[in-house]
């Protein structure tokens, strides 16, 4: 196998203009070049496999969502149909989060663009009349790693689904606002609506699956969940305070 050599010449200055001295070094970089090429090949193969995995995940989620929707059309029970529709919406929300992350660059995720694109996808698939119900996003310049962005994205989709399901009964119009604000290492993610609010009967009822999912994701982020009346409407806030979690900061703020 041919070897790769690097020749380096450096002039030595001893103050003698008549005699020029050179220091020559020869380095064998064959193994280093082979290792570098192997690393590049592995990274390229990893990128191809990751892309293939993303396609397979997206296709699988679409198949599951289609099966759930077909099942919802066939069943006679309204309660069962409602549960199947809820399951379909959750699968689609996961698919939306996966799609947004696949489209983003590796590394930290800029939240304003991520949440905006996420809510645009949610609105396109779940809001039938955009003149009746609007969905908007406000966020600062924060960035978080991919794992944190997945949890935040799933929380947003669960809360948006819940607002669309309960806040605007009948032909009631309204607005949903998703907001993210950070102060140092502390941050707050909130989803607000100006709908009918939470009836006392629902407030006293056992928490549903969506609430359990949001609370579990908030626990992973070492954050708390706060629900308050917005008069009109409801605001659900996910609050992370470093002083409350022993200095642990799961989110990196740019």
């Amino acid at each position: 196998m041919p070897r790769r050599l690097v020749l380096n010449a450096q002039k030595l200055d001893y103050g003698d203009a008549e005699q020029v001295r050179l220091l020559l070094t020869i380095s064998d970089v064959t193994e280093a070049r082979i290792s570098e090429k192997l690393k590049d090949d592995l990274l390229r193969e990893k990128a191809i496999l990751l892309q293939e995995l993303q396609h397979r995940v997206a296709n699988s989620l679409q198949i599951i969502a289609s099966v759930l929707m077909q099942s919802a059309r066939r069943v006679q029970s309204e309660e069962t149909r409602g549960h199947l529709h809820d399951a379909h919406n959750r699968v689609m929300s996961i698919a939306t989060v996966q799609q947004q992350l696949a489209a983003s660059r590796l590394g930290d995720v800029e939240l304003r663009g991520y949440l905006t694109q996420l809510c645009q996808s949610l609105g396109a698939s779940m809001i039938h009349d955009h003149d009746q119900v609007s969905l908007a996003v406000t966020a600062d310049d924060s960035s978080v790693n991919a794992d944190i962005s997945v949890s935040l994205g799933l929380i947003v989709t669960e809360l948006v689904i819940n607002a669309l399901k309960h806040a605007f009964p009948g032909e009631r119009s309204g607005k949903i606002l998703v907001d993210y604000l950070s102060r140092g290492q502390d941050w707050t993610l909130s989803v607000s609506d100006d709908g009918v609010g939470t009836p006392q009967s629902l407030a006293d009822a056992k928490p549903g699956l969506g609430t359990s999912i949001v609370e579990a994701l908030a626990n992973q982020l070492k954050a708390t969940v706060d629900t308050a009346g917005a008069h009109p409407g409801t605001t659900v806030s996910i609050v992370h305070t470093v002083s409350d979690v022993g200095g642990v900061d799961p989110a990196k703020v740019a």
Side-chain angles (χ1 to χ4, degrees):
M1 180 181 66
R3 311 297 295 181
R4 290 180 177 270
L5 304 178
V6 174
L7 174 64
N8 182 50
Q10 183 177 2
K11 182 179 179 180
L12 301 179
D13 186 4
Y14 288 102
D16 187 352
E18 295 181 356
Q19 295 185 358
V20 178
R21 295 178 176 85
L22 296 177
L23 175 63
L24 298 179
T25 59
I26 299 177
S27 303
D28 187 343
V29 297
T30 305
E31 299 299 331
R33 293 292 175 85
I34 292 175
S35 298
E36 184 177 348
K37 183 178 184 302
L38 179 60
K39 183 183 71 173
D40 291 341
D41 290 342
L42 289 174
L43 289 175
R44 185 162 46 251
E45 181 180 356
K46 179 182 177 181
I48 294 173
L49 291 175
L50 180 59
Q51 185 178 22
E52 177 64 22
L53 176 62
Q54 290 171 345
H55 284 307
R56 290 179 180 270
V57 169
N59 291 337
S60 298
L61 290 172
Q62 291 291 341
I63 292 173
I64 294 171
S66 297
V67 170
L68 289 171
M69 186 58 68
Q70 291 174 5
S71 299
R73 294 192 183 103
R74 289 197 301 265
V75 298
Q76 301 298 322
S77 170
E78 288 296 331
E79 180 180 0
T80 302
R81 184 179 294 111
H83 289 316
L84 289 172
H85 277 296
D86 288 344
H88 171 268
N89 288 337
R90 287 192 172 92
V91 170
M92 291 305 298
S93 72
I94 295 173
T96 301
V97 171
Q98 188 271 340
Q99 180 183 13
Q100 298 303 327
L101 289 178
S104 66
R105 296 177 300 177
L106 296 177
D108 290 345
V109 177
E110 191 271 320
L111 281 179
R112 182 188 294 128
Y114 169 67
L115 293 177
T116 298
Q117 293 177 7
L118 175 61
C119 288
Q120 286 175 348
S121 298
L122 291 172
S125 61
M126 299 181 185
I127 298 177
H128 302 294
D129 186 353
H130 292 271
D131 292 329
Q132 180 180 346
V133 177
S134 64
L135 175 58
V137 173
T138 59
D140 56 23
D141 296 329
S142 297
S143 296
V144 298
N145 65 45
D147 290 338
I148 300 299
S149 68
V150 169
S151 297
L152 294 177
L154 291 176
I155 288 173
V156 167
T157 52
E158 284 295 333
L159 294 177
V160 169
I161 288 173
N162 187 70
L164 291 173
K165 185 176 180 180
H166 298 293
F168 311 110
E171 299 298 323
R172 184 185 177 97
S173 61
K175 300 177 181 179
I176 300 173
L177 176 64
V178 177
D179 178 72
Y180 184 93
L181 178 64
S182 63
R183 294 184 181 88
Q185 295 182 341
D186 300 340
W187 54 263
T188 300
L189 170 69
S190 63
V191 177
S192 305
D193 66 72
D194 58 356
V196 297
T198 304
Q200 190 62 38
S201 58
L202 289 179
D204 295 336
K206 182 179 179 180
L209 177 60
T211 300
S212 300
I213 292 174
V214 170
E215 290 178 347
L217 291 169
N219 287 335
Q220 289 181 2
L221 297 174
K222 301 186 184 303
T224 58
V225 182
D226 177 64
T227 302
H231 308 293
T234 303
T235 297
V236 180
S237 300
I238 313 300
V239 182
H240 172 269
T241 305
V242 173
S243 59
D244 292 340
V245 294
V248 177
D249 179 23
K252 174 185 176 182
V253 179

